[in-house]
Structure formats: C-alpha cells, structure tokens
Amino acid sequence: LDARLKGGTLRRGIATWQIGTLNAGASRTVTITLRALRTARGTKINRASAGAENAPSVNARARVVLLPAGVGGAIRVPIVTG
C-alpha cells in the first residue's frame, strides 16, 4: 500500500487528521491518495469516523472493489463522509 496524506499522519494502517476548531455549520476536507499493490484483488472496506467534544461521534464506510490492472477501465470510488 502506497499512501499520500495531505496534513495527516499514517500509523499501522490508520490515517488521522487533527482538524481543530470549526464554527457551527463549517466543514473541512481532508485528502488521502492510496495505491494498492498490483496483486491486490477483491472487495475492501474504507471506514471513516469523526468525533468532537460537543457532538456525537459519527461513522461511515464505503465498499471498494479492486480489479486486475486493465480490467474495467477507470473506476470511481465512493467517497466516505461523516
């Protein structure tokens, strides 16, 4: 797995961002770019969670299907949001 994070950290396969304080109704986008091994196949689950001191935690997940190189053309992966 090759991962590139903008403003985050990666430890033991878990990407983490410290967002800081957001005003009510505000949002912040984080970006991670992953490249699977050429031999990777099958279905994987991306998971996301967010927590705050003054709001309940939220979780989301999205299924990603890894195909052999050259099969199926370009693939759009669903975005996981909280």
Side-chain angles (χ1 to χ4, degrees), residues 13-17 30 32 34 43-50 58-64 77-82:
I14 298 174
T16 304
W17 285 264
V30 297
I32 183 171
L34 301 172
T43 300
K44 305 297 179 190
I45 304 295
N46 286 332
R47 291 180 171 84
S49 61
V58 293
N59 298 290
R61 63 186 189 171
R63 184 170 47 128
V64 178
V77 177
I79 297 172
V80 175
T81 62

Side-chain angles (χ1 to χ4, degrees), residues 22-42:
L22 294 176
N23 292 326
S27 65
R28 174 141 180 231
T29 300
V30 297
T31 302
I32 183 171
T33 302
L34 301 172
R35 183 180 307 262
L37 297 173
R38 184 173 290 278
T39 56
R41 303 285 185 275

Side-chain angles (χ1 to χ4, degrees), residues 4-16:
R4 292 183 183 89
L5 290 79
K6 292 184 179 183
T9 59
L10 181 64
R11 286 195 191 105
R12 297 182 184 168
I14 298 174
T16 304

